[in-house]
Amino acid sequence: MESDPVSYSTQRGFQIYSAGLRGERPAIPISPDALEQRARDLLPPEVYDFVAGGAGSGETIQANREAFRRWRIVPRVLCRVARRDLRMALFGTTLSAPVLLAPIGTLSIVHPDAEPAVARAAAALGVPIVLSGLSSVSLEEVAQAAPEATRWFQLYWSPNLDLTLSLAARAEKAGYSAIVVTLDAMLMGWRERDLQNGYLPSLRGVGGASHFADPVFRSLLARSPEEDRDAAVRQLAKVFSNPDLCWDDLEALRRQTRLPILLKSILHPEDAVRAVERGMDGVIVSNHGGRQIDGSIASLEALPEIVRAVDGRVPVLFDSGIRRGSDAIKALALGAQAVLLGRPYVWGLAAAGEAGVREVVLNFLADLDTTLGLCGCATCAELNPELLRRDPK
Ligand SMILES: Cc1cc2nc3c(=O)[nH]c(=O)nc-3n(C[C@H](O)[C@H](O)[C@H](O)COP(=O)(O)O)c2cc1C
């Protein structure tokens, strides 16, 4: 970390206010709610519902947001914060900030440039992308589109172990530097809006690109996905995920790869401890953005106990409900090493492709940088629970 840190706050704010002097307004809405509304205006209703929606009544989506409101920041003053540094090291790589882009599948439904656009935007800002195991462009093509991006691969564990291991091996070969195993989507959540719309992108052939290119997957088909797309889609529905998975099964992946393996979807402290005991390199506290269980614990509510249980043995990452810099500050203060930004970057992609993702992430980093300094901290490592109070209301 020899180079000077980037001051996102100063640079971004100056750029936007200077443009304002010329009568210009930001092309992409600054407020996350206005951004979502912009995307909503542009997208077909069923696509908007698919991205915005959650399980059942949407209670967990709300709970994720309310959990942030229950923590208030108590800033410190006179702390010499002119020179701030958001950079952090994770698994031997220096990231621009403790921020990654969450794995979100089937992105071509919101914009034709899809995952390659997201990867290029992330690369430009030094923010890693976690590529979904259900991406609309294959993992190799995303790697080619943004070779300089720090890329992690999110794995859906198939009942066909050879397929699971093949996907992981391909990701490693293509330069992905960590594997994220998502554990809360073994069954599809009961999503009322999607059911009402009869809309599931993966059943329409979107999201299978990495599988369709996989030799093990192809060996399960009588005809290639190019020749018989419907049969490939039906096969994907059968083999993409394994509800019978158990802790012992993880061993096969642990043996195959030396890449860091993180378990995503951890909400119980005992599961976090098990992950550590099984040789996993990190956990991601997440409820899938409220898409799987209606009435699940908010991710932020689960975080402190998990941090305590893991006790510094592996990094604890966090997602679900991160919208602004202050949300990231709260999660980091409660012990997360990094946060994953989810839906907001998808709205940016919907609004303006690669440039939209770049704007959204840049605004998020600038907000984080500003709020960090205003809290009296020059680095994220200084954040700790002392900075937060539970709102009595
Ligand atoms: C449309 C959509 C698709 C998603 N697809 C995946 C996926 O393929 N794999 C995965 O692990 N998580 C997936 N997620 C969950 C995200 O990785 C992340 O946990 C979630 O978006 C965080 O919630 P937030 O966006 O409300 O902050 C998806 C989320 C959304 C909104």
Side-chain angles (χ1 to χ4, degrees):
M1 300 200 189
E2 285 123 32
S3 55
D4 280 345
V6 179
S7 172
Y8 295 99
S9 163
T10 317
Q11 289 177 7
R12 183 68 179 152
F14 185 75
Q15 188 191 26
I16 293 175
Y17 290 125
S18 305
L21 290 176
R22 299 190 297 273
E24 293 169 25
R25 294 291 177 270
I28 298 295
I30 301 288
S31 127
D33 293 336
L35 172 68
E36 179 171 343
Q37 186 56 51
R38 170 76 61 88
R40 184 176 198 162
D41 293 342
L42 292 166
L43 291 172
E46 67 279 13
V47 172
Y48 169 76
D49 279 348
F50 177 74
V51 178
S57 64
E59 206 177 278
T60 307
I61 299 180
Q62 277 177 32
N64 282 338
R65 291 300 306 143
E66 279 159 16
F68 282 99
R69 284 185 211 109
R70 280 200 288 275
W71 288 106
R72 315 302 302 176
I73 296 170
V74 186
R76 303 304 303 267
V77 296
L78 299 174
C79 296
R80 287 186 174 273
V81 294
R83 189 185 154 89
R84 295 173 305 284
D85 195 344
L86 290 186
R87 290 174 296 184
M88 57 109 47
L90 195 57
F91 303 125
T93 306
T94 300
L95 316 184
S96 300
V99 176
L100 300 92
L101 300 190
I104 295 201
T106 65
L107 286 177
S108 65
I109 61 170
V110 303
H111 195 284
D113 295 346
E115 291 85 2
V118 175
R120 281 191 296 265
L125 297 169
V127 168
I129 171 184
V130 186
L131 183 72
S132 164
L134 285 181
S135 54
S136 34
V137 173
S138 77
L139 66 92
E140 285 87 0
E141 287 169 293
V142 174
Q144 256 171 27
E148 69 291 8
T150 300
R151 284 168 279 108
W152 295 7
F153 180 68
Q154 179 262 316
L155 183 68
Y156 279 120
W157 198 290
S158 170
N160 181 325
L161 180 62
D162 291 341
L163 174 57
T164 302
L165 296 179
S166 172
L167 288 163
R170 282 169 54 208
E172 187 163 1
K173 186 158 174 242
Y176 291 74
S177 53
I179 306 282
V180 170
V181 184
T182 293
L183 297 172
D184 62 358
M186 301 307 177
L187 303 168
M188 176 80 61
W190 187 255
R191 300 179 190 155
E192 293 178 4
R193 287 155 83 173
D194 298 340
L195 290 160
Q196 192 60 43
N197 292 328
Y199 182 73
L200 184 63
S202 54
L203 275 192
R204 294 169 182 233
V206 186
S210 291
H211 289 81
F212 297 165
D214 192 279
V216 177
F217 183 83
R218 293 173 80 92
S219 74
L220 305 173
L221 302 171
R223 298 166 70 210
S224 74
E226 297 75 36
E227 291 162 338
D228 188 347
R229 172 62 54 135
D230 289 350
V233 168
R234 282 196 303 276
Q235 185 62 247
L236 178 62
K238 278 194 218 149
V239 298
F240 109 91
S241 179
N242 179 11
D244 255 349
L245 195 68
C246 70
W247 287 96
D248 286 344
D249 298 331
L250 298 174
E251 179 58 25
L253 180 63
R254 183 66 294 170
R255 271 201 309 273
Q256 169 171 291
T257 182
R258 297 180 66 178
L259 291 182
I261 305 174
L262 296 93
L263 299 188
K264 176 171 184 270
S265 335
I266 300 295
L267 292 171
H268 197 295
E270 281 172 21
D271 284 341
V273 169
R274 278 187 161 194
V276 177
E277 288 169 355
R278 299 288 174 144
M280 301 295 114
D281 302 282
V283 297
I284 305 181
V285 177
S286 167
N287 61 24
H288 216 106
R291 297 169 74 76
Q292 291 299 94
I293 298 179
D294 200 21
S296 155
I297 186 171
S299 284
L300 196 71
E301 294 293 343
L303 179 63
E305 261 193 90
I306 290 176
V307 167
R308 225 172 296 128
V310 167
D311 196 22
R313 286 174 287 175
V314 298
V316 175
L317 277 57
F318 174 89
D319 80 26
S320 297
I322 296 278
R323 297 291 175 269
R324 295 185 163 84
S326 58
D327 301 329
I329 293 283
K330 290 175 186 176
L332 297 169
L334 290 173
Q337 255 85 16
V339 299
L340 286 77
L341 187 66
R343 289 181 176 94
Y345 84 77
V346 183
W347 304 138
L349 180 68
E354 179 181 338
V357 178
R358 206 173 45 242
E359 294 271 298
V360 168
V361 178
L362 194 51
N363 289 342
F364 181 76
L365 295 178
D367 184 3
L368 173 58
D369 183 27
T370 307
T371 311
L372 181 75
L374 291 171
C375 286
C377 298
T379 66
C380 292
E382 294 166 40
L383 294 167
N384 67 74
E386 280 296 296
L387 198 74
L388 302 181
R389 294 286 180 279
R390 207 66 179 163
D391 194 331
K393 283 193 293 280

